[in-house]
């Protein structure tokens, strides 16, 4: 009989490993990475996706599909429709990512006095890659480069994902390419992600978003 992945048991075991790792720099993230890598190796992407999709609350919103949460660990199931991208944002807590289907392109930034942000590099996470770590200080945007394949991933965050939202930031992009920092909210990052796709001329991403969330078509139609 195939092994069944249980999100709650995984979260509890991961928290215990992070606690045991203690406070040395990077130790808690290394423990979370190890737990996630072992889970993917043991259960496989298909079984983990089955369990994650069954655990998503029915009232979850885009970017907030939390399937396990405590003060020290949040497990997020992330789906990116074809060609969708987000606005630039930070997290303030570390992340560990395993891509279970498709790809996720990360574009990294650092603060810049004249432009607000400047790009510093990128990395593409693919199914089958090792667990990818993001430091708590990272600023990035993510996108699905595929025209047809939905990107699906499990993200672990080293803290209360919702609890740190008031401490986070999202960056709006002006027509001249400069960035302005704003306090993070799901509403703001949703709007600014749509604006970024509009200004990139990413019609495929906007169309993909509407197919995914048709109730938000009015937001897309209102973009200038």
């Amino acid at each position: 009989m195939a092994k069944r992945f249980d999100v709650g048991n995984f979260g509890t075991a991961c928290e215990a490993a992070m606690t045991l790792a203690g406070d040395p720099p990077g130790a808690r993230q290394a423990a979370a990475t190890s737990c996630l890598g072992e889970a993917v190796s043991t259960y496989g992407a298909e079984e983990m996706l089955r369990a994650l999709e069954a655990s998503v609350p029915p009232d979850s919103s885009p970017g907030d599909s939390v399937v396990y949460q405590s003060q020290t660990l949040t497990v997020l199931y992330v789906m990116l429709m074809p060609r969708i991208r987000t606005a630039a944002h930070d997290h303030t807590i570390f992340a560990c990512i395993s891509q279970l289907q498709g790809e996720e392109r990360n574009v990294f930034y650092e603060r810049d006095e004249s432009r607000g942000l400047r790009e510093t590099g990128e990395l593409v996470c693919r199914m089958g890659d090792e667990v990818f770590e993001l430091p708590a200080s990272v600023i990035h945007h993510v996108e699905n480069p595929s025209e047809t394949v939905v990107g699906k991933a499990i993200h672990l965050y080293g803290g209360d994902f919702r609890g740190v939202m008031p401490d986070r930031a999202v960056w709006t992009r002006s027509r001249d390419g400069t960035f302005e920092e704003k306090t993070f909210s799901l509403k703001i990052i949703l709007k600014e992600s749509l604006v970024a796709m509009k200004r990139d001329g990413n019609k495929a991403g906007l169309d993909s978003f509407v197919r995914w969330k048709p109730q938000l078509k009015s937001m897309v139609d209102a973009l200038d």
Side-chain angles (χ1 to χ4, degrees), residues 85-154:
R85 63 153 290 178
T86 71
H89 60 279
D90 65 9
H91 291 287
T92 73
I93 49 179
F94 73 72
C96 310
I97 299 166
S98 181
Q99 195 70 24
L100 301 176
Q101 177 176 294
E103 298 180 348
E104 177 185 291
R105 177 174 178 250
N106 287 261
V107 177
F108 301 108
Y109 300 85
E110 66 181 15
R111 285 178 169 83
D112 181 87
E113 288 187 6
S114 61
R115 300 182 60 81
L117 290 178
R118 69 178 185 90
E119 290 188 19
T120 59
E122 67 175 72
L123 186 144
V124 178
C125 303
R126 297 180 175 88
M127 180 181 173
D129 288 351
E130 293 185 359
V131 175
F132 174 51
E133 294 186 345
L134 291 175
S137 60
V138 76
I139 301 171
H140 70 155
H141 85 250
V142 299
E143 58 189 65
N144 180 356
S146 174
E147 299 283 347
T148 57
V149 179
V150 177
K152 298 181 179 182
I154 178 172

Side-chain angles (χ1 to χ4, degrees), residues 39-82:
V40 174
S41 177
T42 299
Y43 298 101
E46 184 177 352
E47 168 58 19
M48 292 184 71
L49 284 172
R50 178 204 63 77
L52 290 165
E53 289 172 358
S55 301
V56 174
D59 59 346
S60 64
S61 58
D64 192 34
S65 296
V66 173
V67 295
Y68 180 92
Q69 186 169 26
S70 72
Q71 291 298 309
T72 58
L73 176 69
T74 300
V75 180
L76 198 69
Y77 173 46
V78 175
M79 283 200 312
L80 280 179
M81 296 292 128

Side-chain angles (χ1 to χ4, degrees), residues 153-196:
I154 178 172
H155 291 204
L156 309 187
Y157 293 94
D160 181 347
F161 185 79
R162 292 179 177 137
V164 300
M165 282 189 184
D167 303 320
R168 296 175 60 189
V170 61
W171 280 261
T172 64
R173 193 177 73 184
S174 302
R175 294 184 184 278
D176 63 2
T178 59
F179 293 84
E180 180 183 355
E181 183 174 347
K182 294 186 176 181
T183 300
F184 184 94
S185 74
L186 291 174
K187 182 178 180 180
I188 290 175
I189 194 171
L190 175 60
K191 177 185 175 183
E192 293 305 324
S193 297
L194 296 174
V195 168

